[in-house]
Amino acid sequence: MEGTNFTVVVEFILLGFSDLPNLQGFLFGIFLVIYLSILLGNGLIIIITKTDPSLQTPMYYFLGNFSFLEICYASVTVPRMLTDLWTHNGNISLWACAVQLCLFLILGVTECFLLAVMAYDRYVAICKPLYYFLIMRHHVCMGLVVGSWILGIPVVIGLTYQIFSMPFCESMKLNNVFCDIYPVLEVTCGDTSMNELSVYADVVLFGMIPFILILNSYIRIITTIMKMPSATGRSKAFSTCSSHLTVVSLFFVTAILTHLRTKTSHSAATERVLSLLYTTMTPLVNPIIYSLRNKDVIVALRKVLLK
């Protein structure tokens, strides 16, 4: 560690889109529209799942909670990004950066487990339809949702503390639009192998395990559907899963590609694109996917809009 210059870090500088100075206003407008669309679309999903009597089922209970999560997920990063684009000032305090990273990771873990819970709900509905309402009772659904929210909190807080306890070098510039793991690790001094190992372990624990659970649910679902004698029945069963499967694919592919990489192989430009994809695109397309592929949601939305 001799010869390395340390500094007491008070704040970081988020570079964001500083390499595109002529597009700052345009990007602000684009991401403002995206954020407002996220709030409006997911807000409507929450309203209809809470007020429409035909949507008072476990499936839509999970969907309402998932839409609320998507609003929180986008709100952790996008408003800050909009502020930086508007003011052309990417300064963020150490504590604000740590809080943003911690909340971002907690919500990411929650999304992984909530998607797994939604896959389990579809498994019970299709593979055990006669026992569906017996298994997916309200207190069970509440327990699954609460468990999804709190399961990763202790580990994520520990990981955030571990990262921000490291000494930082003179460079305080984070080459991203928000505080994420790899941009912060890039400005730390010393050996970060233990930190990267912790990140990989957390990705396996809170990313791959839910993904495997989802995969297991869908293997069982597909096996059951293929045994159905009626083509209409098979089509209807597939349609109840297609929306969830699309959201799962979009979220997990981009999230796993982002975090299952080493610090040296990490590309800031690629990270920025992938980070924007799984922090804005999933919350943005979630209401669109469920609206286009679900007749019950379409009917409920029409009722709300007509009122």
Side-chain angles (χ1 to χ4, degrees):
M1 299 297 291
E2 292 182 4
T4 304
N5 293 323
F6 299 101
T7 184
V8 177
V9 174
V10 178
E11 64 179 13
F12 295 107
I13 301 173
L14 291 168
L15 296 180
F17 297 98
S18 59
D19 56 334
L20 303 170
N22 297 327
L23 295 177
Q24 300 279 305
F26 174 74
L27 290 171
F28 175 85
I30 292 294
F31 286 111
L32 178 61
V33 170
I34 288 175
Y35 184 57
L36 293 176
S37 299
I38 289 170
L39 296 181
L40 178 61
N42 287 285
L44 283 173
I45 294 292
I46 293 171
I47 290 171
I48 63 172
T49 55
K50 292 294 183 183
T51 60
D52 195 294
S54 66
L55 301 184
Q56 303 303 305
T57 64
M59 174 183 173
Y60 296 110
Y61 173 76
F62 294 131
L63 178 58
N65 279 276
F66 185 72
S67 293
F68 174 72
L69 172 65
E70 294 291 64
I71 290 175
C72 296
Y73 200 47
S75 297
V76 168
T77 57
V78 180
R80 173 77 207 193
M81 182 173 62
L82 290 171
T83 302
D84 293 345
L85 285 169
W86 182 258
T87 62
H88 305 282
N89 181 9
N91 290 17
I92 183 171
S93 69
L94 175 70
W95 283 105
C97 186
V99 169
Q100 186 183 53
L101 176 60
C102 187
L103 290 175
F104 175 72
L105 294 177
I106 288 172
L107 292 169
V109 170
T110 303
E111 183 151 357
C112 291
F113 280 105
L114 196 52
L115 286 169
V117 167
M118 294 170 77
Y120 175 71
D121 171 72
R122 292 298 83 209
Y123 157 73
V124 176
I126 293 172
C127 300
K128 301 181 179 181
L130 297 179
Y131 300 97
Y132 179 66
F133 288 102
L134 182 63
I135 296 174
M136 304 303 293
R137 287 172 289 183
H138 185 64
H139 71 275
V140 173
C141 295
M142 286 184 61
L144 290 170
V145 169
V146 171
S148 298
W149 276 93
I150 68 174
L151 198 59
I153 290 177
V155 176
V156 168
I157 291 175
L159 178 63
T160 306
Y161 177 79
Q162 182 186 31
I163 292 173
F164 282 87
S165 294
M166 294 191 67
F168 292 96
C169 301
E170 290 183 348
S171 174
M172 295 176 290
K173 296 179 179 179
L174 305 182
N175 202 347
N176 206 345
V177 294
F178 62 90
C179 290
D180 204 354
I181 293 174
Y182 287 104
V184 174
L185 286 179
E186 284 180 350
V187 298
T188 59
C189 293
D191 184 15
T192 61
S193 57
M194 288 303 297
N195 298 86
E196 292 184 21
L197 184 62
S198 297
V199 172
Y200 298 147
D202 290 345
V203 169
V204 170
L205 181 62
F206 297 125
M208 294 304 295
I209 290 179
F211 182 76
I212 290 170
L213 292 174
I214 292 170
L215 192 61
N216 178 62
S217 294
Y218 274 105
I219 289 172
R220 294 172 182 269
I221 288 170
I222 292 170
T223 302
T224 301
I225 290 175
M226 296 308 295
K227 293 178 181 178
M228 291 180 178
S230 168
T232 304
R234 289 195 296 270
S235 176
K236 186 176 180 181
F238 270 122
S239 68
T240 65
C241 304
S242 59
S243 301
H244 176 257
L245 199 54
T246 304
V247 173
V248 166
S249 302
L250 180 62
F251 176 79
F252 273 98
V253 169
T254 53
I256 290 173
L257 283 176
T258 300
H259 292 105
L260 280 183
R261 292 181 292 152
T262 63
K263 182 179 174 181
T264 53
S265 67
H266 162 70
S267 164
T270 305
E271 164 96 20
R272 186 167 61 183
V273 172
L274 289 173
S275 296
L276 286 172
L277 278 176
Y278 76 88
T279 55
T280 60
M281 294 312 296
T282 304
L284 177 64
V285 302
N286 171 54
I288 299 173
I289 291 170
Y290 276 96
S291 297
L292 292 176
R293 293 177 174 269
N294 193 301
K295 292 180 180 179
D296 293 334
V297 172
I298 293 173
V299 171
L301 281 173
R302 284 176 180 169
K303 291 179 183 178
V304 172
L305 295 175
L306 286 174
K307 289 180 181 179

